[in-house]
């Protein structure tokens, strides 16, 4: 399984980021412009994931995204795990929207 750092993903113009966290987690902290599909819904919603580009997968710290990457790879999607998840993304000082949107 391939993985990369938050800084490397942020440097990619128009990177497709799949966030597999739950809605409650997204309400606390999220990255604008992500494709949001909770891990538990990924099998049913896999058709929403682009198959013609690399997809960078994010969760809280990296466990669920690793599972999602393995599943997506089995479906022929070029998927890469983002090491450390949203926690590492935030710690790297990259843009995160904190708090719920009304």
């Amino acid at each position: 399984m391939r993985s990369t750092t938050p800084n490397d993903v942020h440097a990619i113009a128009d990177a497709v980021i799949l966030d597999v966290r739950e809605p409650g987690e997204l309400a606390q902290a999220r990255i604008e412009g992500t494709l949001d599909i909770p891990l538990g819904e990924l099998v049913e919603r896999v058709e929403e994931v682009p198959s013609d580009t690399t997809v960078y997968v994010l969760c809280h710290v990296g466990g669920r995204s690793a599972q999602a990457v393995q599943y997506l790879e089995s479906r022929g999607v070029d998927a890469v795990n983002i090491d450390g998840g949203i926690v590492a993304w935030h710690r790297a000082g990259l843009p995160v929207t904190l708090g719920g949107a009304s």
Side-chain angles (χ1 to χ4, degrees):
M1 177 182 62
R2 294 180 10 224
S3 63
T4 190
T5 67
N7 282 317
D8 287 346
V9 175
H10 186 257
I12 299 168
D14 300 324
V16 175
I17 300 174
L18 169 62
D19 194 326
V20 296
R21 295 176 302 138
E22 295 297 317
E25 294 173 283
L26 292 172
Q28 294 172 1
R30 68 189 180 285
I31 300 167
E32 293 299 323
T34 57
L35 174 60
D36 303 323
I37 303 175
L39 182 61
E41 298 176 14
L42 186 57
V43 172
E44 299 87 49
R45 297 177 59 189
V46 69
E47 299 302 324
E48 297 175 38
V49 179
S51 58
D52 59 348
T53 188
T54 301
V55 176
Y56 297 91
V57 187
L58 178 89
C59 66
H60 187 70
V61 293
R64 285 172 287 174
S65 56
Q67 293 176 43
V69 166
Q70 289 178 326
Y71 172 70
L72 291 170
E73 286 178 334
S74 77
R75 297 287 309 245
V77 175
D78 182 23
V80 179
N81 193 29
I82 300 177
D83 289 330
I86 191 85
V87 171
W89 186 281
H90 185 57
R91 285 185 181 150
L94 299 172
V96 174
T97 301
L98 300 174
S102 51

